[in-house]
Amino acid sequence: MFHTSDGDAMSQVRVRFAPSPTGFLHIGGVRTALFNWLFARQQNGVFVLRIEDTDQSRSTDDSIQAIVDGMRWVKLDWDEGPFRQTERMDLYRDHAVRLFEQGHAYWCVCTPEELETRRKDAETKGGSPKYDGRCRNLGLTKPPGEAALRFKAPQDGQTVVDDLIKGRVVFDNQILDDLIILRSNGYPTYNFSVVVDDASMGITHVVRGDDHLTNTPRQIPIFQALGFPLPRFGHLPMILGSDKARLSKRHGATSIMAYKEMGYLPDAMVNYLVRLGWSHGDQERFSREELIEKFSWKNVQTSAAVFNPEKLLWLNAEYLKTSPPTEIAQALVPLLEQAGLKDEVRACSIEWIAQLVVLVKERTKTLVEMVHWVTPYFGEVVVFDEEAAKKFLTSTHAAVLTKLVERFEALPTFSKHEWEEAFKKLVAEEGIKMGQLAQPVRVALTGRTASPGLFEVMEVLGRDRTLLRLRRGIERASRS
RNA sequence: GGUCCCAUCGUCUAGCUUGGCCUAGGACGGAGCCCUCUCAAGGCUCAGACACGGGUUCAAAUCCCGUUGGGACCA
């Protein structure tokens, strides 16, 4: 009943994501979750969320919430869970006892100090540092006091992992240690609780980080001793920082929610993360539906990948440019409110904010940048950037600006085309260059020297506010 | 130290299974040019890699062996 063939027909695919609650959800974790999720959705399978909190003595509801929030933000929905290992302690103990009763485990009374000295001894003599098996054949029944339960690992033959990603990996069983499965404090160890969980949750494909590959031959004999069918295993390559060391905080933000705060779109994050270790020819952009359809283990990379924030930024900009403006506007609203524009935002429609998005989306790479670009369009008047005003709103500019306002006022309604005509005509008559009038107008309208096209700006502002701001600009110019 | 994994432009990768279509393709980043009312965006162009050494073969990025270099795990 040990099935190891791929897909294994009839049975439904069940995969899991099993993060430990470390306070936040790491982007490496998100990528692991993503591959599992894609496979589950593609196979019409089940995606389980499990919190591995046995080791984490101070694992809190807060950190579980952080995982849940992170998963929700990137829209990776799970079908079962979140389960917590700390709520399943009886299950681990029962299985441990079963292993003991069936002769697959034994009590060990060696103290950590004894183990340490014997290990060092063995090492100086050139031996292996693994447990020397002193208690293996003592036949101890649950002894009083401190004792740990050890698993009797096979000592000959080989354990073969037919990995979904790495292919066939062979381990000699001689290297296998008699792992502690229950500590003297009654807590299960990692390698034991994962097996019990994966088996009892009916996980068919265990897909996790590369760092667990060498744990796999330790776990397989436990599945077998417990009489459980073996799942398929898949080990994803790690994500590295720019110095090729494991990605960590010193490389920059690693929490998925930090990217939310920096103004990244969840779809861009997912798209970037999936391409870090997976590819489909030369394609760079994928919708969720496409990913679900095209995902395949055979296109998962075997080597580690360096996280490249610049490419992520580019992708985010792509998403900003091509996503429906209303969607972007909705994501932008909370950030605008945080930026102190609560009243202003409430005073206008989402459609108008979407117009702002269209106005600036070509020139921003994150929502945070977008907030900065979009702020001048809220409110009646604008705050001048001092340097910009000093340069472009001077007495020399006042005259021509006044002429411009007069011509605009002569046009009863705003029309982008007509106003542009009027503008160009004035420039021609004055014998100046476009820029000589455009920059002062730009500063008057937006307060800054860089903005979208002037006539698009006027369109968004509307006739009245355009004229008002121009007059304010003239006032400022005349004063200087 | 032992075991295991990995190795194509600076980075992400295509190609590797089933050798020839590869004077190695795409993307990010970089450089330059064009467009232009500013800032962007966009278009075009350029620089840039098969870790090394041996085999096998008419032919190797692709297959085999070794070396080196990274990484993970066990302690």
Side-chain angles (χ1 to χ4, degrees):
Chain A
M1 166 92 200
F2 293 153
H3 60 74
T4 51
S5 61
D6 196 2
D8 212 0
M10 314 302 113
S11 60
Q12 187 184 35
V13 164
R14 292 178 61 86
V15 293
R16 46 58 157 199
F17 173 51
S20 21
T22 55
F24 63 90
L25 183 57
H26 194 276
I27 49 177
V30 173
R31 193 184 59 146
T32 303
L34 174 60
F35 285 130
N36 276 287
W37 181 85
L38 286 173
F39 186 59
R41 293 294 167 259
Q42 181 185 71
Q43 302 291 318
N44 289 312
V46 174
F47 180 46
V48 179
L49 179 59
R50 182 173 81 218
I51 311 294
E52 306 220 319
D53 58 351
T54 42
D55 265 0
Q56 216 65 35
S57 45
R58 54 177 198 82
S59 111
T60 59
D61 290 346
D62 282 355
S63 28
I64 294 173
Q65 193 56 44
I67 290 168
V68 166
D69 290 345
M71 293 286 284
R72 289 210 177 117
W73 183 61
V74 288
K75 292 176 277 196
L76 298 183
D77 57 323
W78 55 96
D79 307 300
E80 294 178 15
F83 299 109
R84 291 180 64 158
Q85 289 190 318
T86 43
E87 286 164 356
R88 300 160 58 84
M89 287 305 183
D90 291 343
L91 191 68
Y92 310 128
R93 285 173 197 145
D94 290 350
H95 282 81
V97 166
R98 217 175 92 208
L99 283 180
F100 171 70
E101 286 169 351
Q102 295 174 349
H104 292 299
Y106 59 91
W107 289 104
C108 171
V109 290
C110 301
T111 66
E113 297 74 41
E114 289 168 358
L115 291 170
E116 185 59 28
T117 48
R118 273 191 265 150
R119 183 182 303 126
K120 276 185 182 152
D121 250 34
E123 268 180 53
T124 48
K125 287 173 188 154
S128 107
K130 71 180 197 180
Y131 179 62
D132 57 11
R134 177 166 301 196
C135 298
R136 198 177 219 234
N137 297 310
L138 257 39
L140 264 33
T141 50
K142 173 66 173 148
E146 298 282 284
L149 196 60
R150 278 188 193 272
F151 178 68
K152 265 187 203 167
Q155 292 301 295
D156 39 47
Q158 296 178 323
T159 296
V160 178
V161 181
D162 184 18
D163 197 274
L164 289 163
I165 294 157
K166 306 271 183 189
R168 196 180 139 90
V169 185
V170 182
F171 299 86
D172 277 328
N173 288 342
Q174 289 163 29
I175 61 150
L176 260 31
D177 210 340
D178 280 352
L179 288 181
I180 292 179
I181 56 176
L182 267 194
R183 291 180 228 275
S184 53
N185 63 9
Y187 275 68
T189 54
Y190 169 76
N191 278 306
F192 182 62
S193 53
V194 227
V195 170
V196 172
D197 282 336
D198 286 334
S200 63
M201 291 177 180
I203 302 302
T204 57
H205 296 71
V206 172
V207 178
R208 76 248 279 200
D210 222 343
D211 45 345
H212 285 115
L213 182 59
T214 50
N215 277 329
T216 310
R218 299 180 234 280
Q219 293 172 8
I220 286 175
I222 302 180
F223 274 97
Q224 292 171 331
L226 251 14
F228 289 124
L230 227 45
R232 287 299 309 264
F233 291 93
H235 290 91
L236 297 164
M238 307 261 80
I239 300 183
L240 274 25
S242 49
D243 57 357
K244 309 249 180 172
R246 205 183 182 129
L247 188 66
S248 69
K249 23 256 113 337
R250 72 198 161 81
H251 298 111
T254 52
S255 155
I256 189 72
M257 289 316 248
Y259 286 88
K260 181 188 182 203
E261 275 150 36
M262 289 188 284
Y264 287 82
L265 263 17
D267 287 346
M269 285 309 293
V270 162
N271 197 150
Y272 177 74
L273 255 16
V274 80
R275 280 286 289 103
L276 206 54
W278 176 85
S279 61
H280 186 264
D282 287 337
Q283 193 173 343
E284 294 288 351
R285 292 198 48 186
F286 300 87
S287 67
R288 300 259 171 162
E289 296 69 35
E290 260 180 310
L291 286 176
I292 290 169
E293 181 200 324
K294 291 176 172 165
F295 180 76
S296 145
W297 296 119
K298 86 173 198 310
N299 294 321
V300 174
Q301 197 74 7
T302 49
S303 52
V306 173
F307 181 79
N308 183 349
E310 274 157 359
K311 188 156 184 179
L312 169 61
L313 191 62
W314 165 78
L315 240 196
N316 200 57
E318 288 293 302
Y319 272 85
L320 246 26
K321 276 181 278 190
T322 56
S323 302
T326 316
E327 265 176 41
I328 305 288
Q330 269 150 2
L332 197 61
V333 164
L335 298 186
L336 289 168
E337 292 184 347
Q338 276 174 41
L341 293 166
K342 218 164 194 145
D343 297 337
E344 290 86 343
V345 168
R346 287 194 183 153
C348 56
S349 67
I350 194 76
E351 288 77 22
W352 186 73
I353 296 176
Q355 277 185 59
L356 292 183
V357 169
V358 174
L359 188 67
V360 304
K361 66 180 184 175
E362 307 282 282
R363 14 184 83 74
T364 63
K365 292 182 190 293
T366 66
L367 290 173
V368 169
E369 282 180 30
M370 202 173 253
V371 168
H372 174 258
W373 272 79
V374 116
T375 39
Y377 307 100
F378 290 95
E380 289 302 303
V381 297
V382 77
V383 180
F384 296 121
D385 172 79
E386 272 311 303
E387 285 200 20
K390 267 180 199 148
K391 190 166 176 193
F392 292 110
L393 293 179
T394 68
S395 48
T396 46
H397 299 111
V400 66
L401 281 173
T402 307
K403 285 184 192 167
L404 184 70
V405 169
E406 283 165 1
R407 300 204 178 188
F408 281 169
E409 279 173 335
L411 298 164
T413 55
F414 177 81
S415 146
K416 196 159 85 174
H417 182 70
E418 284 176 31
W419 285 43
E420 186 166 356
E421 287 288 286
F423 186 101
K424 285 185 171 159
K425 211 171 152 214
L426 178 62
V427 165
E429 285 173 20
E430 294 287 310
I432 56 176
K433 286 184 195 163
M434 266 302 265
Q436 290 176 279
L437 182 55
Q439 282 306 77
V441 170
R442 172 166 286 113
V443 176
L445 257 25
T446 69
R448 324 218 264 231
T449 52
S451 85
L454 279 186
F455 305 100
E456 284 75 34
V457 166
M458 292 179 192
E459 187 171 39
V460 165
L461 250 22
R463 182 177 194 268
D464 292 347
R465 264 201 296 173
T466 298
L467 292 173
L468 171 67
R469 288 188 179 192
L470 283 173
R471 281 189 218 103
R472 291 293 184 104
I474 294 166
E475 277 171 35
R476 164 73 196 234
S478 321
R479 255 190 288 129
S480 66

